[in-house]
Amino acid sequence: MMKSIVNVGFQAIIKLLFSVVSLKIVAYYAGPSGMAVVGQLQSFLQMAGAGASAMSSTGVVKLITEGRVAEDNVVKSSFILLLSYTFFVFIVFFVSASFLSDFFMGGLWREALIIIPLAAFFLGVNSLFVSYYNGRQDYRRYLFYSVLLSL
């Protein structure tokens, strides 16, 4: 029990350090107005990423832990749901990117908005790895992928 508590604490410290360092680097190069745009892009990515992670989090952990369903079927189903969700979000962002870019960011970030579904897909895949290893109770790999997700 203590080992898992130490691992979670270590994971939280690593995530905090990565987020502080990355924000300082972006703030240095982007400046105050660039940080506002980065914040808006981050909000769009968090919305898209939340849906992508929902496809592969709690259900995957539960089904793999119980062992009633084959692990490869759980992973394949979750991956197909993730692909479907990402395709849907891509279509929505592709159709509305000009409007969203004009309304929220002054019209300069249309291409960045179109790339967000791709980033959400990779966040979802990483969340799938985290959920898979959490369900198998392989906490070393779980820690690795969880820290990788924070980058």
Side-chain angles (χ1 to χ4, degrees):
M1 172 113 160
M2 277 307 276
K3 186 176 179 181
S4 62
I5 292 172
V6 170
N7 282 339
V8 169
F10 176 71
Q11 172 187 351
I13 290 170
I14 295 292
K15 284 182 178 183
L16 180 66
L17 289 175
F18 279 130
S19 66
V20 168
V21 168
S22 65
L23 281 176
K24 289 293 185 182
I25 291 171
V26 170
Y28 178 76
Y29 287 108
S33 62
M35 283 300 292
V37 172
V38 167
Q40 291 172 340
L41 288 173
Q42 224 173 12
S43 295
F44 280 117
L45 181 60
Q46 284 176 345
M47 286 188 298
S53 295
M55 302 294 164
S56 59
S57 58
T58 308
V60 172
V61 174
K62 179 183 181 296
L63 290 172
I64 288 178
T65 301
E66 288 177 351
R68 289 189 283 171
V69 181
E71 290 180 2
D72 59 338
N73 288 342
V74 172
V75 172
K76 284 179 191 175
S77 299
S78 181
F79 189 74
I80 290 170
L81 283 172
L82 178 63
L83 280 175
S84 303
Y85 171 79
T86 304
F87 181 72
F88 174 75
V89 171
F90 176 75
I91 296 298
V92 168
F93 271 71
F94 187 75
V95 169
S96 63
S98 294
F99 170 73
L100 292 172
S101 177
D102 290 340
F103 189 73
F104 289 110
M105 295 176 266
L108 301 173
W109 295 90
R110 182 182 187 279
E111 292 80 16
L113 286 176
I114 293 174
I115 294 173
I116 284 178
L118 180 65
F121 171 75
F122 288 115
L123 287 172
V125 168
N126 200 351
S127 178
L128 179 62
F129 281 129
V130 168
S131 299
Y132 176 77
Y133 290 120
N134 189 16
R136 294 195 68 197
Q137 298 177 354
D138 185 354
Y139 295 116
R140 286 186 183 197
R141 288 186 180 161
Y142 170 79
L143 176 67
F144 174 75
Y145 284 112
S146 184
V147 169
L148 189 64
L149 182 65
S150 69
L151 297 177

